Amino acid sequence: MSQASGTSLVTYIIYGVSLLGIISLLVSSFFTIEQKHVGIVQRFGKFLRIANAGLNFKVPFIDQVAEVLSLKIEELDVEVETKTKDNVFVDMNVSVQYSVIPGREKEAFYELTSPKEQIESYVFDVVRAEVPKTVLDEVFEKKDSIAEAIEKELKDTMEDYGYKIHKALVTNIDPDQKVKDAMNEINSAQRLKLAAIEQGEAKKILQVKEAEGEAESKKLQGKGIADQRREIAKGLEESVEDLSEKTGVDSKTVMELLLTVQYYDTLKEMAASSKSNVIFTSTSPAGLKDLTSQISEGIIAANVAIDKPINNSEENKIIQSDHLAMK
């Protein structure tokens, strides 16, 4: 009885182990692949098939998943040190976006040992071939052209290995710090020069405008003085005519009287002013008569010059004749 019980126990253990083995085989026969990924399935080390996303089956102990490849777009940043045409060393950062081509997973896995190192090698080659052709200033302007050259070279090469190059970007160009300081000083000097030129032009324009304004002011001032003198002469003429008609006195006497009154009025105003200077002048009858003659001659000459421009000889004759008439 005890021997039969021992035999059945061993049997149960064997059944249990077998069941666990079967369950383990079933579990190892199935595997899952995440979305946007594929599995490389091999049989005895030889490529068998591509396992897509979802639940997949493989033969236990015979088939194995060698690698799971991502179909997502990946980004590789490469830093390259190179030299420009004008012998300036710069550090360039290049960003390459790439992905495995759907349907070309076999080539992507078996053709290249390390796709990232391969891409880096091509980036180094293109950058060090393109940048030395241009000077530093042009490198900044032609960074898009450099990126396009990198992208073209990688596309033509990496497609044979099952990789698609989406975009290549030159993200940074960093010259030596001393070079950057020198460039900033040159830029600052150019801007200061431009500012000085603009300030000089502005000052020139301001001076020209001030001169034009002053000339116009003097012109208007001269015109005003001329008009004022013309009106004074006209008023004196009307006053002389009016007094001559009313009093019967000849115009010469009336003119002398008016000029004498105006002369004393002027002296009175000057004396009343606190800022006036001392003027010494003759107040005798002979002196007043001479002063009156001089003022009359000036007024007559001014009227003649305003009404009818004449040459110097004719003007002298008119003034002399008028002077003799007044005497």
Side-chain angles (χ1 to χ4, degrees):
M1 188 73 176
S2 60
Q3 185 178 359
S5 299
T7 302
S8 60
L9 180 60
V10 172
T11 303
Y12 287 139
I13 292 174
I14 293 172
Y15 286 157
V17 171
S18 299
L19 182 61
L20 289 175
I22 293 171
I23 293 173
S24 177
L25 287 174
L26 290 174
V27 171
S28 62
S29 299
F30 294 94
F31 64 95
T32 59
I33 301 295
E34 295 182 359
Q35 186 68 26
K36 275 291 185 178
H37 290 75
V38 293
I40 306 297
V41 181
Q42 297 181 152
R43 178 170 289 178
F44 298 116
K46 181 181 179 181
F47 174 76
L48 179 64
R49 64 186 175 86
I50 299 295
N52 295 315
L55 183 63
N56 292 270
F57 175 80
K58 65 182 179 65
V59 179
F61 306 112
I62 297 177
D63 298 341
Q64 64 175 352
V65 180
E67 186 71 32
V68 177
L69 297 178
S70 173
L71 298 180
K72 296 179 181 180
I73 297 177
E74 298 185 35
E75 187 173 81
L76 176 64
D77 293 324
V78 184
E79 183 175 347
V80 187
E81 183 182 20
T82 184
K83 185 178 71 170
T84 62
K85 188 176 181 179
D86 49 351
N87 296 322
V88 178
F89 284 90
V90 295
D91 293 326
M92 296 185 64
N93 294 94
V94 181
S95 179
V96 180
Q97 298 173 349
Y98 68 97
S99 66
V100 176
I101 300 174
R104 303 286 300 278
E105 295 88 351
K106 179 181 177 181
E107 291 86 346
F109 178 70
Y110 289 102
E111 294 295 334
L112 292 177
T113 302
S114 178
K116 291 186 177 181
E117 292 181 359
Q118 185 74 18
I119 292 173
E120 285 182 356
S121 298
Y122 280 107
V123 171
F124 273 87
D125 181 65
V126 174
V127 169
R128 289 177 176 172
E130 293 293 328
V131 173
K133 297 178 182 178
T134 58
V135 296
L136 180 61
D137 291 339
E138 294 179 354
V139 171
F140 289 91
E141 298 174 2
K142 296 182 178 181
K143 71 181 188 68
D144 292 337
S145 301
I146 297 173
E148 290 175 2
I150 296 171
E151 185 177 335
K152 183 178 182 300
E153 182 69 21
L154 289 174
K155 277 184 177 181
D156 296 340
T157 305
M158 297 303 292
E159 283 185 1
D160 296 336
Y161 301 119
Y163 285 91
K164 179 180 179 181
I165 304 300
H166 295 273
K167 196 71 177 176
L169 301 171
V170 177
T171 57
N172 186 36
I173 301 174
D174 189 19
D176 185 78
Q177 185 61 41
K178 293 181 179 179
V179 177
K180 290 193 288 186
D181 293 340
M183 293 174 65
N184 290 333
E185 289 179 1
I186 293 172
N187 186 40
S188 177
Q190 290 177 346
R191 291 182 179 275
L192 289 174
K193 179 180 178 181
L194 182 61
I197 293 173
E198 294 297 331
Q199 289 178 356
E201 289 295 328
K203 187 176 181 180
K204 176 182 176 182
I205 293 173
L206 182 60
Q207 290 177 347
V208 170
K209 292 299 181 182
E210 288 180 352
E212 291 178 352
E214 185 177 357
E216 186 67 22
S217 175
K218 290 182 178 179
K219 179 180 177 181
L220 295 175
Q221 184 179 4
K223 184 179 179 181
I225 293 173
D227 292 341
Q228 181 184 14
R229 290 175 177 175
R230 186 182 295 109
E231 292 299 323
I232 291 173
K234 185 178 179 181
L236 288 173
E237 182 181 358
E238 292 177 354
S239 298
V240 169
E241 292 178 356
D242 184 55
L243 288 175
S244 297
E245 292 178 358
K246 292 181 179 180
T247 60
V249 181
D250 61 288
S251 59
K252 179 178 178 300
T253 305
V254 172
M255 175 63 73
E256 292 178 354
L257 177 61
L258 289 175
L259 291 177
T260 303
V261 172
Q262 188 173 2
Y263 171 72
Y264 281 110
D265 289 342
T266 302
L267 291 179
K268 181 180 178 182
E269 291 178 1
M270 293 178 64
S273 175
S274 60
K275 297 181 180 181
S276 62
N277 296 323
V278 178
I279 297 177
F280 295 95
T281 181
S282 176
T283 57
S284 64
L288 290 178
K289 184 177 181 181
D290 184 59
L291 179 63
T292 302
S293 299
Q294 293 177 10
I295 296 175
S296 300
E297 291 174 2
I299 293 174
I300 293 171
N303 290 332
V304 171
I306 293 173
D307 295 336
K308 181 180 179 180
I310 54 179
N311 56 40
N312 293 334
S313 59
E314 293 179 350
E315 182 179 357
N316 291 331
K317 292 178 181 178
I318 293 173
I319 293 174
Q320 291 176 0
S321 61
D322 290 340
H323 179 66
L324 293 173
M326 292 181 64
K327 287 183 178 181

